[in-house]
Amino acid sequence: MLGQLLPAFGGAEPPGWLLRRVAAGHAHGVTVFLRANAADATGLTALTEILHEAAPGHLPLLIGADQEGGQLVGLGHDTTRFPGAMALGAADDASLTEAIGRAMGRELRALGVTVDYAPVCDVAVEPDNVSLGTRAFGSEPAMVGRHAAALTRGLQEGGVVATPKHFPGFGAVDADPHFELASIDLDLKGLEARELVPFRAAIEAGAGMVMSGHVALPAVTGDRALPATVSRLVMHDLLRNQLGFNGVSITEDMDMKAVAQGVGGVDESIVALRAGVDLLLMTPDRAAQKRLEEGLRQAAVRGLVPASRVRASERRLLRLRRWLKHFTWPERAYVKSQAHRELARRSARAAMTLVRDEAGLLPLRPEPGARVLVITPQPRELTPADSSADEPLALAEALRRYHSEVVDMRVPSEPAEADIRAARDAAAGADTVVVATLATNVQRGQARLVEAVLETGTPTVTVAMRTPYDLADYPRSATHLCSYSIVPASVGAVADVLFGRAPVAGRLPVDIPRLYPRGHGLEVPQWP
């Protein structure tokens, strides 16, 4: 059963125990993290080459990464940072989403990575779901399914296994599974109409893997305390029998608190395998891995997991690896190529959503010498599934392409009263203010800062650069824009739109509570 573990490790070189296990055919792959495993793309490629070469018959390993785009770019700045799922939902162009999937697949494959833990199929109906954030395409099931299928097709055309997640979906909860278990309180009819729609679409598009979510599904299991990951009714009866999935199933990290942690997590892992899961996703904690490995050895000796289920998993895993062998290894030139950077820029522009411009402030046309104050909070990671702290959010620099007198003011992610007073004073002395916010439902000080700036009466543009819900926390803003992302392409697109150098056609992929419904957006095909 050790072949059903997908471990991770720390360091720039694969450890000896892992290479020996791969060479013996007892490991089907690993998960890699740029922060943990390599300083750059060159180092990552060298690492994956060693791993693939150790596999018998050079059958490609399942080397996975969290390369979603936007909020979660697991392989860092040496890859093209595409806007994430919610930006693609705002653009709502499935052909664009598929092209991005294809580009991401080629880049991952060129780095030796063969599995992408994407697309996110969760339907974003709960604004306070911080762990989801902009990782979801939107709140309308059919639209989410359309884009999940498109990203799946694109990734797999690029030679990378797509992994729809987090089955059966946790977009309707307000808890982070890294820290606690939540429950989806829908009946079976409700699940069919919402949560399961995107997974059906991605599976029909040919997804090779599906990742479970650590969320309770009492309509299926009858138990609000039982994670879907460890339920055979969910992971076999629902996923395989009802949705027709015949690929490889994999868990979320088995050290998340949403899965009750028994002795070393052994009990939960054995139950997950009995439930029909093929792979257990693990973190780099080697001591925890050893405890689990010993537990699985004992479980095998005692027959706690039927041998027939282990053999079925082995067949599915080998079938997926043989599928990977049909693809060539692209040149490294694909990674962060000019064509891919242009695709990122095009998708970022297509996502831009003008929610409100009651003051007719846009496009900005400052007089020579006029002071444009740009206020940006320091990005921070609001959940472990987040790489936002790696992004510089250089919005002032982007605006200087169009106007020289731009004042750059940076504030903490949670501004204190002194920061808010300083922002208000600076705004009072400016001709125009552009203030960015990043999830004000979590970082409340940012909303108070916006309110203080608005009180000065200085013409102000607010830009929600993470989730679009921020306007609900400062509803007096008369001119409001959503970018859904702080990757460089999105920051550049904000500047392009503010200065009238790009059209605006994005639509809200979710509701802004109490203000605007999904689908709202002011379309400006050509600025004056």
Side-chain angles (χ1 to χ4, degrees):
M1 288 192 294
L2 293 184
Q4 291 182 267
L5 302 180
L6 196 75
F9 59 92
E13 296 183 2
W17 65 264
L18 178 59
L19 290 175
R20 289 190 293 272
R21 190 172 295 175
V22 168
H26 298 319
H28 290 282
V30 298
T31 299
V32 293
F33 306 92
L34 196 61
R35 289 179 180 176
N37 297 123
D40 52 32
T42 300
L44 180 62
T45 306
L47 182 152
T48 57
E49 284 179 355
I50 293 171
L51 285 166
H52 286 303
E53 289 174 0
H58 295 294
L59 195 63
L61 293 172
L62 302 174
I63 299 183
D66 277 310
Q67 190 78 344
E68 296 178 8
Q71 179 182 325
L72 183 53
V73 184
L75 297 183
H77 290 192
D78 273 8
T79 58
T80 305
R81 278 114 78 203
F82 292 101
M86 191 165 283
L88 297 177
D92 199 11
D93 180 346
S95 64
L96 180 62
T97 299
E98 186 168 341
I100 288 175
R102 191 158 45 245
M104 291 171 64
R106 286 173 176 165
E107 292 201 8
L108 290 169
R109 184 85 187 194
L111 296 170
V113 176
T114 56
V115 177
D116 192 5
Y117 300 140
V120 171
C121 289
D122 305 318
V123 180
V125 295
E126 173 51 69
D128 288 331
N129 188 334
V130 178
S131 68
L132 187 57
T134 59
R135 300 166 66 201
F137 291 105
S139 61
E140 202 281 311
M143 183 273 275
V144 175
R146 188 164 61 250
H147 288 276
L151 195 70
T152 293
R153 287 192 299 269
L155 284 167
Q156 300 204 163
E157 287 169 12
V160 166
V161 179
T163 312
K165 62 183 184 184
H166 307 81
F167 185 77
F170 68 77
V173 303
D174 61 1
D176 188 333
H178 293 88
F179 308 114
E180 60 182 307
L181 178 67
S183 174
I184 301 175
D185 294 320
L186 285 177
D187 60 19
L188 292 173
K189 186 176 180 180
L191 290 171
E192 280 286 354
R194 192 176 70 193
E195 261 66 19
L196 299 183
V197 170
F199 288 99
R200 283 189 184 277
I203 289 168
E204 289 172 3
M209 287 180 118
V210 167
M211 179 179 286
S212 71
H214 299 328
V215 61
L217 199 64
V220 174
T221 67
D223 189 342
R224 293 177 56 85
L226 182 68
T229 296
V230 297
S231 169
R232 184 167 176 81
L233 291 173
V234 177
M235 297 308 299
H236 182 272
D237 295 8
L238 182 58
L239 178 60
R240 298 203 182 277
N241 292 347
Q242 190 168 329
L243 269 64
F245 179 64
N246 61 4
V248 170
S249 59
I250 183 172
T251 69
E252 278 197 283
D253 291 346
M254 289 302 291
D255 65 345
M256 289 185 178
K257 301 305 181 186
V259 179
Q261 297 297 313
V263 179
V266 175
D267 294 348
E268 292 76 19
S269 296
I270 292 172
V271 175
L273 295 178
R274 287 175 60 88
V277 167
D278 296 313
L279 279 176
L280 303 171
L281 190 62
M282 305 177 68
T283 61
D285 185 340
R286 185 59 187 144
Q289 291 176 11
K290 286 181 177 179
R291 289 193 296 270
L292 180 53
E293 290 165 4
E294 181 56 31
L296 292 185
R297 288 189 185 96
Q298 293 299 322
V301 169
R302 297 172 186 178
L304 297 181
V305 180
S308 60
R309 288 191 191 153
V310 176
R311 289 194 296 269
S313 291
E314 282 291 315
R315 287 194 296 270
R316 285 191 283 264
L317 289 160
L318 288 172
R319 184 174 65 216
L320 192 57
R321 292 175 62 190
R322 293 188 188 105
W323 176 83
L324 285 168
K325 195 170 185 178
H326 294 147
F327 295 87
T328 59
W329 299 101
E331 296 293 327
R332 273 278 307 280
Y334 274 112
V335 181
K336 215 173 182 179
S337 66
Q338 178 60 39
H340 289 180
R341 293 198 302 273
E342 174 58 28
L343 181 60
R345 186 184 73 86
R346 181 159 62 91
S347 60
R349 279 187 166 190
M352 295 296 299
T353 306
L354 182 58
V355 176
R356 179 189 285 173
D357 189 17
E358 294 174 354
L361 192 57
L362 299 184
L364 299 180
R365 293 287 187 263
E367 296 291 333
R371 288 167 57 87
V372 177
L373 173 66
V374 177
I375 305 174
T376 51
Q378 177 63 39
R380 73 179 178 94
E381 294 168 1
L382 303 179
T383 172
D386 196 343
S387 60
S388 299
D390 291 340
E391 298 294 351
L393 187 47
L395 183 58
E397 181 180 332
L399 266 62
R400 287 193 188 108
R401 291 187 283 124
Y402 301 116
H403 184 69
S404 60
E405 297 300 315
V406 173
V407 178
D408 188 1
M409 184 175 192
R410 307 293 181 103
V411 297
S413 59
E414 187 59 79
E417 291 306 315
D419 302 306
I420 294 171
R421 288 194 299 271
R424 182 187 59 218
D425 292 345
D431 296 289
T432 305
V433 180
V434 177
V435 55
T437 57
L438 304 171
T440 55
N441 61 337
V442 180
Q443 302 171 119
R444 298 290 183 181
Q446 294 180 27
R448 294 197 301 274
L449 184 149
V450 170
E451 291 287 355
V453 168
L454 293 174
E455 287 171 2
T456 67
T458 303
T460 298
V461 182
T462 54
V463 187
M465 298 196 71
R466 193 161 170 142
T467 51
Y469 312 116
D470 292 4
L471 184 61
D473 290 325
Y474 45 78
R476 289 193 299 155
S477 175
T479 303
H480 186 70
L481 199 64
C482 294
S483 70
Y484 315 96
S485 171
I486 61 171
V487 299
S490 298
V491 173
V494 170
D496 296 340
V497 167
L498 291 181
F499 282 88
R501 304 303 175 89
V504 185
R507 304 284 180 173
L508 287 173
V510 295
D511 296 342
I512 297 180
R514 303 178 300 281
L515 291 175
Y516 295 103
R518 181 187 61 82
H520 170 79
L522 304 179
E523 187 168 345
V524 185
Q526 184 64 51
W527 290 103

